[in-house]
């Protein structure tokens, strides 16, 4: 695709670091988040959840609870019957023996068994939330506990069966790469480095927990769902096609402001269908709001991998091959492709930015008595980068080689672009070596030995990590945009992607200003309503600017094309003589001109239109890229450790990133800051923990699940080195996951580099003070 040059126009154009337009109403408390949405006559719902990881349900008694004041109904799985369907898989995976994949979907409310702590059993609906909570506490559930397995490794090695029909707990096997070529490369290798890495289970912990408000309109025969989801149109389609089995137009999904999502609010949860079903049953709206204490038991989790990785090198330290075998814990239910997305879609980035002649990857998805796993900021990208970058540092230590020099020796040169990797992907552009060299300079890596010595004199251990990150982004799925002018000449932009705090309103208005010259303050922005926006795939995978922005650019091109015809009539000139720039059509070589707003007004007046031209000025764009884009960058992290307490302090963090064309450097840095915080949080403190014997969830609140604070992170030095792609009109590559992808390995490698002088060789995340202290003490004893 040819990409026109973007000249960064005006105060609000592409490349300008302007403050977010939406922040004004948000900081004034004028946002419309899920908890702000209420309907007349609404009732309140509370979900009764399993307190066991695995058990038979021997009795569910709702009689006493039903008699409490304000209780309208209590629904169990028996009440639902076959009224609601389930999500389905489209992936065609197999188990290692060639038999079909085992993928049991979630049935909304448990009937005979529960299979994780938090599995929904019943829904209580009452006049007030307090009454519903009181009644939920009085629902009597008798359990017959069964053996449970929550550990990823144990689930794959003879642990108790989550499902009787799948005694080995294996859901499916996914492979990529060339096994024969990889095995041959390992056979001739001078060096082979082998390691096992554990990537822990985490939860998104957004600002506002999930919620759902359902309404039924008998007059129109339509359901309306108010929910904080990431792709409203796909949720509508799922509800209509899979759950209720009704025409799609009989369901409307409305999403307002979203207090963070990060992948975990992306799809179809049981509560969405329950509030709609109950609303029709009771004849009034039903609202469910997830309590903070309920979020970890109620939501999908993420990551949770155990990876055995091997790196083959020749005598000169050149990479020959990469071999990876991963156990991926997918939880108790596999309801849709989404629950497997992180296990396959981004394993292609395991080879990183390096020239591997051969690679082979196996991912074995195993079931356990835990929440299902699904995408969370990166959806496999951070996991892949973590493995290859940890392995390179470990190889450098084993070979007594400088880790930066080992990377220099193997990085893909820009002259090799486009480059087809050993896992079958093609990187269309990128300057990986230049990014790394720039980051080394910005972080003053050359001065690190002096800083390390100074830290040693203060009784601290200091470590440095340099990692290169790359991600597969903006997959080839369509996105929609519409530009709609009113007869007065004002404009509305409607987007199929859904803002969740990234700053979409600002970004898209900048693109519109760049192309049409419209003042952003005079443009209305709409997203998140399936009745107002014709189509959308939603927001995930660093796709919104790349694909949604390109769709908007296409729609703007159509506006210009039609506007030129109208302007030619108004100016009494030939179309070919007109130029369009800065929101104005001008007759070449003259001072005769007409603005786009005047053209838009004329578009609704038939007398001012060329003969045969349809009145009005509203255009759509639906863009689908030919293939993925490849954002990349280099992260440099410095960490200090107090050996007496194990406390880790990050003292420096530098990033040089390439996300292609930068629409707004301010919002880009905000995205990267947030991404790094989430990666650092997982590396240093975050973890969903279950008791090995009972399967009980031990980290259900912020008393137990540690979260990064502002003082966890140092000031970050972020610079962009864009290499625009030609895969879309904007040249954008995507930025949503950029910070997280590099932060996981950068943080852990810096910690291990600090510990290396003491002889500590292995440490799995999270690098909490206790775990670091124990690693130091264990090494000293040995």
């Amino acid at each position: 695709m040819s990409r026109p040059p973007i000249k960064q126009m005006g105060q609000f154009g592409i490349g300008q670091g302007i403050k977010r337009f939406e922040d004004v109403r948000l900081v004034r408390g004028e946002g419309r988040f899920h908890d702000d949405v209420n309907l007349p006559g609404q009732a309140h719902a509370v979900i009764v959840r399993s307190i066991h990881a695995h058990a038979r349900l021997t009795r569910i008694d709702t009689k006493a609870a039903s008699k409490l004041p304000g209780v309208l109904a209590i629904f169990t799985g028996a009440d639902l019957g076959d009224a609601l369907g389930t999500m389905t898989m489209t992936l065609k995976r197999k188990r290692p023996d060639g038999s079909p994949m085992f993928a049991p979907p979630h049935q909304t409310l448990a009937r005979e068994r529960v299979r994780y702590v938090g599995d929904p059993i019943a829904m209580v609906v009452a006049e007030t939330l307090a009454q519903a909570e009181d009644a939920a506490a009085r629902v009597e559930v008798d359990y017959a506990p069964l053996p449970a397995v929550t550990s990823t490794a144990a689930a794959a090695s003879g642990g108790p069966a989550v499902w009787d029909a799948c005694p080995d707990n294996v859901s499916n096997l996914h492979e990529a790469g060339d096994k024969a070529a990889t095995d041959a490369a390992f056979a001739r290798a001078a060096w082979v480095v082998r390691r096992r890495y554990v990537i822990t289970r985490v939860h998104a912990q957004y600002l506002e927990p999930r919620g759902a408000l359902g309404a039924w309109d008998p007059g129109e025969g339509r359901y309306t769902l108010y929910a904080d989801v990431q792709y409203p149109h796909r949720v509508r389609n799922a509800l209509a096609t899979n759950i209720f089995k009704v025409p799609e137009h009989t369901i409307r999904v409305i999403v307002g402001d979203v207090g963070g999502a990060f992948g975990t609010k992306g799809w179809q949860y049981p509560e969405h269908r329950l509030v709609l079903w109950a609303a029709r049953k009771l004849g009034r709206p039903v609202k469910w709001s997830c309590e903070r204490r309920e979020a970890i038991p109620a939501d999908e989790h993420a990551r949770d991998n155990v990876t055995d990785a091997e790196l083959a090198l020749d005598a000169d330290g050149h990479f020959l091959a990469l071999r990876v075998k991963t156990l991926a814990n997918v939880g108790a239910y596999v309801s849709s492709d989404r629950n497997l997305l992180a296990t396959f879609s981004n394993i292609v980035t395991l080879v990183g930015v390096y020239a591997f002649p051969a690679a082979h990857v196996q991912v074995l998805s195993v079931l356990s008595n835990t929440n299902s796993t699904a995408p969370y900021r990166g959806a496999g990208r951070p996991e892949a980068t973590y493995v290859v970058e940890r392995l390179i540092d470990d190889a450098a230590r084993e070979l007594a080689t400088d880790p930066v020099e080992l990377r220099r020796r193997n990085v893909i040169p820009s002259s090799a672009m486009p480059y087809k990797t050993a896992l079958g992907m093609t990187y269309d552009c990128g300057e990986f070596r230049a990014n790394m060299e720039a980051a080394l300079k910005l972080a003053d890596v050359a001065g690190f030995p002096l800083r390390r010595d100074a830290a040693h004199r203060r009784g601290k251990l200091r470590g440095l990590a340099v990692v290169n990150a790359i991600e597969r982004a903006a997959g080839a799925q369509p996105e929609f945009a519409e530009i709609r002018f009113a007869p007065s000449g004002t404009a509305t932009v409607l987007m199929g992607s859904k803002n969740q705090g990234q700053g979409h309103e600002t970004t898209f208005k900048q693109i519109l200003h760049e192309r049409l010259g419209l003042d952003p303050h005079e443009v209305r922005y709409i997203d998140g309503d399936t009745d107002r926006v014709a189509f959308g795939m939603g927001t995930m995978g660093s796709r919104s600017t790349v694909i949604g922005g390109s769709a908007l650019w296409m729609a703007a091109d159509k506006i210009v094309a039609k506007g030129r015809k109208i302007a030619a009539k108004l100016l009494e000139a030939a179309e070919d003589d007109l130029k369009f720039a800065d929101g104005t059509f001008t007759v070449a070589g003259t001072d005769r001109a007409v603005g786009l707003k005047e053209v838009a007004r004329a578009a609704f007046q038939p007398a001012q239109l060329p003969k045969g031209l349809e009145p009005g000025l509203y255009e759509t764009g639906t863009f689908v890229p030919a293939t993925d884009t490849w954002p990349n960058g280099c992260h440099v992290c410095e960490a200090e450790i107090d050996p007496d307490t194990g406390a880790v302090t990050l003292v420096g963090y530098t990033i040089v990133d390439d996300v292609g064309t930068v629409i707004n450097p301010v919002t880009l840095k905000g995205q990267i800051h947030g991404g790094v915080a989430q990666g650092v949080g997982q590396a240093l403190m975050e973890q969903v923990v279950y008791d090995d014997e009972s399967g009980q969830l031990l980290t259900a609140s912020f008393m137990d699940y540690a979260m990064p604070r502002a003082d966890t992170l140092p000031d970050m030095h972020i610079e962009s080195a864009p290499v625009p792609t030609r895969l879309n009109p904007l040249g954008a590559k995507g930025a949503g996951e950029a910070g997280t992808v590099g932060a996981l390995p950068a943080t852990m490698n810096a910690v291990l580099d600090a510990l290396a002088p003491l002889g500590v060789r292995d440490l799995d995340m999270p690098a909490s003070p206790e775990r670091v202290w124990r690693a130091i003490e264990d090494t000293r004893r040995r």
Side-chain angles (χ1 to χ4, degrees):
M1 172 184 292
S2 61
R3 181 181 53 79
I6 293 175
K7 66 184 184 68
Q8 299 185 0
M9 166 187 164
Q11 177 186 358
F12 300 113
I14 288 175
Q16 301 302 313
I18 61 177
K19 295 180 180 179
R20 304 193 327 172
F21 299 120
E22 52 265 66
D23 285 348
V24 175
R25 63 180 176 83
L26 293 176
V27 299
R28 288 175 174 170
E30 296 167 353
R32 192 171 179 81
F33 295 91
H34 178 74
D35 200 51
D36 298 317
V37 180
N38 296 287
L39 297 177
Q42 73 185 18
H44 295 266
V46 169
I47 307 297
V48 178
R49 301 183 183 277
S50 173
I51 61 172
H52 289 279
H54 196 190
R56 283 194 301 272
L57 296 174
T58 59
R59 185 178 69 101
I60 305 174
D61 190 340
T62 63
K63 292 179 182 177
S66 298
K67 296 176 182 178
L68 292 178
V71 175
L72 300 173
I74 301 178
F75 302 113
T76 66
D79 298 310
L80 292 180
D82 297 325
L84 301 177
T86 64
M87 296 298 293
T88 58
M89 300 290 298
T90 64
L91 293 172
K92 304 301 180 184
R93 294 274 187 267
K94 293 186 181 298
R95 286 164 39 86
D97 61 5
S99 61
M101 168 176 64
F102 187 79
H106 200 283
Q107 298 288 335
T108 307
L109 292 175
R111 300 186 187 183
E112 298 175 356
R113 284 198 196 183
V114 288
R115 288 182 166 87
Y116 66 92
V117 174
D119 209 349
I121 296 172
M123 179 172 73
V124 178
V125 184
E127 294 285 357
T128 69
L129 179 58
Q131 289 170 335
E133 289 178 337
D134 288 344
R138 294 287 299 276
V139 173
E140 298 178 16
V141 182
D142 289 345
Y143 302 87
L146 296 168
V149 60
T150 56
S151 160
T152 305
S157 58
V162 180
W163 295 83
D164 294 342
C166 186
D168 61 3
N169 291 324
V170 173
S171 170
N172 69 90
L173 174 68
H174 177 68
E175 295 188 74
D178 188 327
K179 186 178 187 302
T182 301
D183 291 346
F186 271 87
R188 67 175 184 271
W191 299 91
V192 175
V193 179
R194 298 179 175 89
R195 289 293 187 276
R196 168 168 282 200
Y197 303 119
V198 176
I199 300 175
T200 48
R201 175 174 285 247
V202 290
H203 178 266
Q205 298 291 14
Y206 11 68
L207 187 64
E208 183 182 40
R210 291 190 301 112
L213 170 58
W216 165 254
D217 185 330
E220 288 194 355
R222 295 189 81 205
Y223 296 98
T224 299
L225 174 69
Y226 299 83
D228 48 353
V229 295
Q230 295 178 229
Y231 13 94
H233 291 82
R234 292 167 68 190
V235 169
R236 179 184 66 176
N237 179 270
L239 286 166
T241 304
N242 296 100
I243 308 302
F244 290 97
K245 296 179 173 55
V246 296
E248 195 169 345
H249 65 260
T250 63
I251 296 179
R252 180 184 187 184
V253 177
I254 301 175
V255 186
D257 291 314
V258 179
F262 314 116
T264 307
K265 290 182 179 177
W267 200 233
Q268 237 302 297
Y269 279 97
E271 297 85 6
H272 297 155
R273 61 194 82 157
L274 282 170
V275 296
L276 292 175
W277 183 84
R280 182 170 186 176
K281 196 83 172 174
L282 298 175
R284 58 192 295 184
V286 176
K287 182 173 186 176
W288 170 77
S289 296
C290 186
E291 299 287 345
R292 179 65 69 181
R293 66 178 182 273
E294 186 184 10
I296 297 182
D299 297 347
E300 290 169 326
H301 297 168
R303 319 281 198 236
D304 204 346
N305 294 346
V306 177
T307 294
D308 290 306
E310 300 174 274
L311 175 62
L313 306 94
D314 67 14
D316 296 321
H318 293 106
F319 299 163
L320 298 177
L322 178 71
R323 187 158 54 200
V324 175
K325 294 182 178 180
T326 292
L327 295 176
N329 189 337
V330 295
Y333 301 96
V334 183
S335 295
S336 69
D337 297 354
R338 163 182 170 76
N339 296 125
L340 297 180
L341 193 65
T343 70
F344 72 90
S345 62
N346 289 296
I347 61 172
V348 293
T349 52
L350 275 163
V351 291
V353 300
Y354 307 104
F356 280 97
H360 183 247
V361 183
Q362 291 182 320
V363 181
L364 193 70
S365 294
V366 295
L367 301 157
S368 69
N369 293 112
T370 63
N371 299 53
S372 298
T373 52
Y376 161 64
R377 200 144 196 189
R381 301 165 178 86
E383 297 95 309
T385 301
Y386 183 79
V387 169
V388 70
E389 293 294 328
R390 280 288 309 269
L391 195 55
I392 292 172
D393 264 29
D394 284 338
R397 274 189 284 270
E398 198 164 310
L399 275 59
T401 300
D402 176 51
V404 172
E405 183 54 38
L406 187 58
R407 287 174 169 84
R408 283 195 182 108
R409 200 171 301 166
N410 291 283
V411 73
I412 300 167
S414 56
S415 60
M417 298 296 173
Y419 181 85
K420 187 171 183 178
T421 74
L423 291 176
M425 296 291 106
T426 298
Y427 299 161
D428 65 300
C429 63
E431 296 179 0
F432 310 141
R433 173 72 180 266
N435 287 346
M436 184 170 70
E437 299 301 336
L440 295 173
K441 184 177 180 180
L442 286 170
D444 186 22
V445 170
F448 173 71
L450 293 177
R451 297 193 294 277
R452 181 181 55 202
D453 292 343
H456 180 71
R457 289 192 294 272
R458 291 185 280 107
K460 308 290 186 183
L461 305 170
R462 195 169 181 121
L464 173 77
V466 177
V467 307
N468 294 309
I470 190 166
E471 57 167 310
R472 180 186 192 179
Q477 292 180 312
E479 194 50 86
F480 172 86
E482 180 180 358
I483 303 168
R484 187 184 299 171
F485 279 89
S488 64
T490 58
T492 299
V493 59
L494 303 98
M495 298 299 303
S497 58
K498 180 68 196 86
N499 182 42
Q500 306 139 33
Q502 300 95 327
H504 285 187
E505 180 176 343
T506 301
T507 301
F508 291 133
K509 283 184 176 181
Q510 285 186 259
I511 294 171
L512 200 63
H513 179 76
E514 184 76 32
R515 191 69 188 96
L516 299 182
L518 299 177
D519 185 337
H521 298 95
E522 296 180 0
V523 176
R524 187 184 183 199
Y525 177 84
I526 294 174
D527 69 5
D529 187 335
T530 60
D531 269 14
R532 294 201 284 179
V533 181
F535 169 77
M537 292 299 290
T539 296
M540 68 281 182
S542 301
R543 73 187 302 274
S544 296
T545 298
V546 176
I547 308 180
S550 295
L552 185 59
W553 190 274
M554 289 174 60
D557 280 348
K558 295 177 183 179
I559 291 288
V560 172
K562 185 171 183 178
R564 179 175 276 109
K565 296 179 184 296
I566 300 170
K569 172 75 183 296
L570 296 176
L571 294 170
E572 299 181 341
E575 284 184 48
D576 292 343
D577 291 338
L578 295 185
K579 296 184 181 298
F580 180 75
D582 300 339
T584 303
F585 292 95
T586 305
V587 179
T590 75
D591 60 357
R592 294 163 56 207
V594 61
L596 180 59
K597 290 182 68 173
E598 185 178 345
V599 168
R601 287 193 290 267
F604 293 88
Q605 302 174 33
Q608 298 194 47
L609 297 180
K611 185 177 181 180
L613 188 66
E614 180 182 5
L617 193 57
Y618 14 73
E619 299 289 348
T620 65
T622 304
F623 179 76
V624 57
T627 186
D628 311 285
T629 56
W630 301 96
N632 61 88
C634 182
H635 293 228
V636 181
C637 178
E638 281 192 46
E640 275 193 0
I641 297 174
D642 182 341
D644 294 328
T645 65
V648 176
T649 302
L650 299 188
V651 293
Y653 207 105
T654 300
I655 303 173
V656 172
D657 68 84
D658 169 17
V659 299
T661 300
V662 177
I663 307 299
N664 186 328
V666 173
T667 58
L668 171 62
K669 288 186 177 181
Q671 284 271 51
I672 293 175
H673 283 161
V676 169
Q678 288 179 294
V680 168
Q682 179 169 3
L684 295 184
M685 62 194 70
E686 292 187 52
Q687 185 179 12
V688 174
V689 180
Y690 292 90
D691 180 77
D692 287 337
E693 293 185 6
S694 67
Q696 275 299 319
L697 179 62
L698 303 179
T699 52
S701 75
F702 288 151
M703 292 292 290
D704 311 295
Y705 188 101
M707 290 282 287
R709 307 184 310 181
D711 59 1
T712 303
L713 295 166
D715 288 338
M716 283 184 258
H717 190 172
I718 301 170
E719 293 205 6
S720 292
V723 180
T725 179
R726 292 190 173 273
L727 295 173
N728 61 74
L730 292 172
K733 294 179 177 178
E737 272 75 31
T740 311
V741 174
L744 243 62
T747 305
M748 287 302 297
N749 278 356
V751 169
L752 282 157
D753 187 59
L755 295 172
L758 302 183
V760 177
R761 293 291 178 265
D762 296 303
L763 179 67
D764 286 318
M765 62 176 79
S768 63
E770 180 192 6
R771 291 169 63 88
V772 172
W773 180 83
R774 288 190 183 279
I776 294 171
E777 292 303 305
D778 289 347
T779 302
R780 284 173 174 168
R781 283 196 294 271
R782 287 196 300 268

